[in-house]
Amino acid sequence: MDEFELIRRFFVRPPGDGVLIGIGDDGAVLSPSPGRVLVSVVDTMVEGVHWPASLPPADVGWRAVAVNVSDVAAMGGRPRWMTLALTLATADEAWLDAFARGLFEAADRYATALVGGDVTRGREIVASVQVTGEVEPDRILRRSGAAAGQGIYVTGAPGEAAGGLELLRDATLGAGDAERARLVARFARPDVRAELALAIAPLAAAAIDVSDGLFADAGKLLAASGCGGRIEVTALPRSPALERVFGTEAAARLTLAGGDDYELCFTADRDRETAIRDVAARHGVAMTRIGEVTGGDRLVLTREGSEIAFQDPGYRHF
Ligand code: ADP
Ligand code: MG
């Protein structure tokens, strides 16, 4: 199987909306909706760095798309098109078949068409997906919009994905089947906040997706806004599955510092609270106010209002 047959067999699908020229030419030609501007994101995933080799290839395909959709959503955008640059050690058909299945499941779930890519041979598996989305210019969500007095919110239960990754890596960790399934799925198949982010965009002042850890990513948002903040440890969302497997204390640490959740963290004026709760309820997504934006330039962790020590730089490659 040469690379052209590989592309045809595993990656060519009927073109999506707005695709004037798709796979097969030197480049894709895309037609954005009138009045929208484009959001462009890319995320590379490397086997052994971003996922353990034991992760099923269908999940690798899903994650490669979902993590990018999460970035587009955190900008207030709607994903439309993507390209895929894939590096493989061998053209393993079973692997490719499963990878493509997971990739297209996510493509369908988030209405994002594959319009091009590249295939190369290399030492290890690397999947790099680039997504282009659209946003109305006055609905763009940035990290830099936070202001003192606003609430800090997060969706879902961060930490569950990091817990799931621990379970994948360490088979000796004791966990019931239901907890194991829930936590591993949060890592393997993150269902990112694509629709919720669009509904929150008119209400939020600043947003970031939580990929490197809640405390670190909230800190990045506040730094971009030139603000400080307080996160109250007793207000954090709690995951019964995480607490049962890891214990309360380790669970809280995973919630603050675990990565790979792809939840949405945002700030909003306090008079938006009711509207925010309505949006969360309508989308069936848990939403928790975990703290508030303050003056200064430090994000601190508090317990019942008093500062407690916490250090976490977030995930760093180098
Ligand atoms: P070029 O040599 O011009 O870069 P290629 O021969 O690498 O083009 O690719 C041929 C066509 O197949 C291009 O349209 C490219 O976008 C598409 N393509 C290549 N790899 C992939 C892939 N993994 N998924 C989807 N489309 C791909
Ligand atoms: Mg070319």
Side-chain angles (χ1 to χ4, degrees):
M1 181 172 55
D2 68 18
E3 68 196 76
F4 303 105
E5 195 198 336
L6 186 159
I7 293 163
R8 192 183 50 71
R9 261 184 67 186
F10 296 107
F11 296 113
V12 175
R13 285 273 195 98
D17 287 344
V19 182
L20 302 185
I21 299 172
I23 293 173
D25 215 312
D26 289 318
V29 179
L30 309 168
S31 176
S33 311
R36 305 277 164 95
V37 292
L38 301 178
V39 186
S40 178
V41 305
V42 63
D43 250 315
T44 295
M45 300 201 328
V46 181
E47 183 177 42
V49 177
H50 297 90
W51 79 87
S54 61
L55 190 70
D59 294 338
V60 177
W62 174 282
R63 292 188 84 246
V65 176
V67 303
N68 280 285
V69 169
S70 175
D71 276 327
V72 171
M75 296 301 296
R78 182 189 294 283
R80 296 286 314 269
W81 309 289
M82 63 180 168
T83 56
L84 163 69
L86 191 59
T87 299
L88 300 169
T90 56
D92 177 337
E93 294 186 22
W95 191 94
L96 275 160
D97 192 57
F99 173 83
R101 181 158 35 81
L103 180 118
F104 283 116
E105 277 167 16
D108 292 344
R109 161 71 183 83
Y110 301 114
T112 307
L114 182 64
V115 298
D118 195 21
V119 180
T120 54
R121 184 205 296 271
R123 258 196 283 276
E124 59 207 336
I125 304 177
V126 181
S128 193
V129 169
Q130 182 273 332
V131 171
T132 301
E134 295 183 337
V135 58
E136 290 168 45
D138 60 352
R139 288 289 157 82
I140 299 169
L141 273 176
R142 304 186 54 167
R143 294 180 179 183
S144 57
Q150 292 171 349
I152 304 175
Y153 298 81
V154 73
T155 59
E160 290 194 326
L165 180 58
E166 293 275 311
L167 290 176
L168 282 172
R169 284 199 174 129
D170 184 351
T172 67
L173 277 171
D177 289 346
E179 283 108 38
R180 180 177 292 274
R182 177 182 175 86
L183 299 178
V184 167
R186 295 296 298 147
F187 175 80
R189 294 261 171 168
D191 188 18
V192 303
R193 305 307 181 187
E195 296 82 12
L196 183 99
L198 290 175
I200 285 292
L203 302 168
I208 188 168
D209 73 326
V210 180
S211 54
D212 293 339
L214 176 59
F215 194 81
D217 286 330
K220 286 181 209 161
L221 179 154
L222 294 166
S225 298
C227 294
R230 269 196 292 270
I231 289 179
E232 168 61 35
V233 76
T234 60
L236 291 172
R238 294 171 63 174
S239 156
L242 204 57
E243 294 189 348
R244 268 202 296 276
V245 179
F246 294 93
T248 320
E249 204 152 303
R253 186 154 185 96
L254 286 166
T255 296
L256 283 165
D260 295 309
D261 290 295
Y262 302 98
E263 295 291 354
L264 190 69
C265 175
F266 62 94
T267 73
D269 289 332
R270 293 300 294 270
D271 61 5
R272 303 292 172 93
E273 178 103 9
T274 313
I276 286 168
R277 301 238 168 265
D278 286 350
V279 168
R282 231 182 311 125
H283 287 79
V285 172
M287 178 97 74
T288 312
R289 177 153 50 77
I290 57 170
E292 67 174 327
V293 185
T294 62
D297 58 4
R298 279 178 72 229
L299 172 60
V300 298
L301 193 64
T302 61
R303 179 178 295 281
E304 274 139 25
S306 307
E307 185 175 338
I308 55 175
F310 187 76
Q311 268 296 321
D312 175 52
Y315 186 83
R316 304 212 168 172
H317 282 275
F318 298 106

